[in-house]
């Protein structure tokens, strides 16, 4: 090993395989590598998300320490200051507030020479032309799907688009969910409430919050292993409305929970609302086939009132499938 303590510093906004190449190069030449991720509130990807993603990349590597440090109110570029002395008077103390001693800094940028000089260490330039790993954080932010292969697996969940398939009973939600996920080569979240109903042969008011939480746990797990999209067979608006339909005299017990979840939880990237312009089929679990149009209008009203990005799709099964795919691919 050439260096005892080395530094890699960057926004890593987001973490890319280019960053991993830089860090791996430093690891190959250092006894210990200190990685400082800088962040501030103006950035669309929270620093904590980048920090946790990078930690997962190196969770089995003993000779690396990763730090998450705010650079709010610190100039990002030297042209924001009158002199280099002024510029690095911010950055050098920030580094040494985290790390006691350094021998080298690894960068892929021209500024590395000046940075190293002010830190009092050697500079190791790595893949400045991006020939080894042709990617940048800006490229990923501008088009994450196009650059999916350059995003580490632990960073990908942030970019996964969540699609909710909605509608009243017997409009093809479950079949459409599975068919779309198969076409896109990704995961889907099943209708968890239906599973609970089939197990118990009924639902009570005490089932609805566990249904919501159980469905969300499945979604959170699926996102970690999904390719660009995760397709969800219903979501919390559906569960909330079913609590009213199944338990009209008791739904107030769970309403505060659902109103809070629907207010605070991030919205889906697209809600596909299926029209009841098809024959309703009784499969032994459906209790509101005669109310499908009313149910549909209530769902639509909820989506409008909550400012959700939704589309209405009807027609035969093939038309629903093709139009849904087209809209998802346009995201």
């Amino acid at each position: 090993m050439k260096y005892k303590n080395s530094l890699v510093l960057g926004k890593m906004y987001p973490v890319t395989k280019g960053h991993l190449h830089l860090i791996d190069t430093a690891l190959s030449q250092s006894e210990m590598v200190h990685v400082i991720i800088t962040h501030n509130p103006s950035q669309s990807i929270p620093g904590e998300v980048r920090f946790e993603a990078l930690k997962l990349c190196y969770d089995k590597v003993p000779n690396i320490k990763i730090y998450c440090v705010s650079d709010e109110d610190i100039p990002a570029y030297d042209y924001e200051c009158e002199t280099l002395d002024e510029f690095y008077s911010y950055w050098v103390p920030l580094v040494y507030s985290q790390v006691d001693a350094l021998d080298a800094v690894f960068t892929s940028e021209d500024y590395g020479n000046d940075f190293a000089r002010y830190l009092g260490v050697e500079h190791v330039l790595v893949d400045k032309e991006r020939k080894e790993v042709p990617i940048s954080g800006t490229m990923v932010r501008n088009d994450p799907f196009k650059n999916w292969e350059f995003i580490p697996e632990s960073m990908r969940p942030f970019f996964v688009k969540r699609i909710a398939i909605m509608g009243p009973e017997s409009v093809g939600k479950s079949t459409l969910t599975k068919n779309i996920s198969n076409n896109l080569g990704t995961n889907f979240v099943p209708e968890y409430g239906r599973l609970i109903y089939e197990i118990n042969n009924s639902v009570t008011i005490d089932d609805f919050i566990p249904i919501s939480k159980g469905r969300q746990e499945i979604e959170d797990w699926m996102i970690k292993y999904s390719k660009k999209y995760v397709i969800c067979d219903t979501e919390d608006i559906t569960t909330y409305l079913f609590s009213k339909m199944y338990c009209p005299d008791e739904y107030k017990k769970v309403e505060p929970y659902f109103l809070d979840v629907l207010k605070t939880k991030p919205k889906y990237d697209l809600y596909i609302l299926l029209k009841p312009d098809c024959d309703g089929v009784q499969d032994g679990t459906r209790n509101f086939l005669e109310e499908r149009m009313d149910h549909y209008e209530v769902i639509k009203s909820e989506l409008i009132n909550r400012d959700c990005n939704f589309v209405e799709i009807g027609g035969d099964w093939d038309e629903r499938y093709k139009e849904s795919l087209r809209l998802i691919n346009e995201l």
Side-chain angles (χ1 to χ4, degrees):
M1 295 295 180
K2 186 175 181 181
Y3 304 107
K4 186 173 182 179
N5 285 285
S6 295
L7 171 70
V8 175
L9 179 144
K11 297 187 294 292
M12 306 197 188
Y13 178 42
V15 178
T16 71
K17 290 186 178 179
H19 296 121
L20 303 191
H21 176 61
L22 178 62
I23 294 168
D24 290 344
T25 302
L27 283 167
S28 71
Q29 300 180 38
S30 313
E31 293 180 19
M32 177 62 68
V33 174
H34 302 269
V35 181
I36 298 178
I37 297 175
T38 62
H39 66 94
N40 62 68
S42 70
Q43 295 162 343
S44 60
I45 307 172
E48 190 67 24
V49 171
R50 288 126 65 186
F51 176 61
E52 293 298 331
L54 191 64
K55 284 203 303 182
L56 285 174
C57 291
Y58 292 99
D59 60 348
K60 293 180 172 59
V61 179
N63 59 320
I64 187 171
K65 293 182 180 179
I66 303 173
Y67 312 79
C68 190
V69 181
S70 172
D71 63 3
E72 190 174 6
D73 300 324
I74 293 180
Y77 303 99
D78 56 17
Y79 61 73
E80 298 176 50
C81 297
E82 292 186 4
T83 65
L84 281 180
D85 285 352
E86 180 189 355
F87 179 66
Y88 284 110
S89 72
Y90 293 98
W91 285 98
V92 171
L94 181 146
V95 169
Y96 284 119
S97 71
Q98 305 297 315
V99 183
D100 291 332
L102 289 170
D103 306 295
V105 58
F106 286 69
T107 83
S108 299
E109 309 294 342
D110 287 327
Y111 67 73
N113 288 329
D114 288 331
F115 191 26
R117 179 163 56 87
Y118 278 90
L119 288 170
V121 302
E122 290 187 37
H123 176 223
V124 181
L125 185 63
V126 180
D127 195 22
K128 175 187 171 185
E129 304 299 328
R130 307 296 196 273
K131 292 181 179 179
E132 293 291 328
V133 188
I135 195 63
S136 69
T138 301
M139 291 168 65
V140 171
R141 292 197 306 276
N142 289 342
D143 196 338
F145 286 5
K146 180 180 179 180
N147 296 291
W148 194 255
E149 64 180 296
F150 293 109
I151 306 174
E153 289 185 4
S154 59
M155 190 71 237
R156 288 175 179 174
F158 180 83
F159 296 103
V160 169
K161 299 289 188 183
R162 300 182 307 136
I163 314 299
I165 309 298
M166 302 181 68
E169 291 180 333
S170 192
V171 291
K173 296 186 298 294
S174 297
T175 299
L176 183 63
T177 296
K178 294 174 184 176
N179 289 344
I180 289 175
S181 66
N182 286 338
N183 179 281
L184 298 175
T186 192
N187 296 316
F188 71 90
V189 179
E191 186 182 3
Y192 191 66
R194 182 187 178 97
L195 298 177
I196 299 302
Y197 184 95
E198 290 178 346
I199 290 171
N200 299 328
N201 202 31
S202 65
V203 287
T204 70
I205 195 62
D206 295 327
D207 291 318
F208 285 96
I209 291 178
I211 286 171
S212 170
K213 292 181 176 179
R215 196 212 63 78
Q216 189 60 54
E217 287 176 4
I218 295 173
E219 180 180 315
D220 292 343
W221 189 87
M222 288 293 191
I223 284 176
K224 296 178 182 179
Y225 307 100
S226 293
K227 179 183 177 183
K228 302 181 181 179
Y229 307 93
V230 64
I231 315 301
C232 302
D233 186 351
T234 71
E235 44 60 82
D236 280 313
I237 291 176
T238 300
T239 308
Y240 171 48
L241 294 179
F242 269 132
S243 75
K244 291 184 171 185
M245 296 170 75
Y246 276 99
C247 306
D249 299 325
E250 298 180 280
Y251 77 89
K252 289 288 186 181
K253 291 172 58 177
V254 300
E255 187 171 49
Y257 164 84
F258 281 103
L259 293 180
D260 181 65
V261 166
L262 292 171
K263 180 180 179 181
T264 59
K265 176 183 169 183
K267 294 183 177 67
Y268 289 79
D269 294 280
L270 179 65
Y271 297 77
I272 295 177
L273 178 57
L274 299 179
K275 296 179 179 180
D277 56 354
C278 54
D279 292 334
V281 179
Q282 180 56 259
D283 64 358
T285 67
R286 293 165 176 157
N287 296 285
F288 306 103
L289 288 177
E290 299 303 318
E291 304 170 36
R292 288 196 305 160
M293 183 53 70
D294 290 339
H295 188 189
Y296 175 85
E297 292 297 337
V298 173
I299 296 171
K300 181 178 177 180
S301 177
E302 286 282 340
L303 292 170
I304 292 171
N305 292 338
R306 298 183 185 283
D307 195 28
C308 298
N309 177 32
F310 79 97
V311 294
E312 301 172 80
I313 295 179
D316 62 33
W317 306 128
D318 189 56
E319 289 171 334
R320 292 167 191 248
Y321 171 70
K322 289 180 178 178
E323 181 64 5
S324 297
L325 271 182
R326 184 187 70 80
L327 291 166
I328 291 171
N329 283 319
E330 287 183 354
L331 283 176

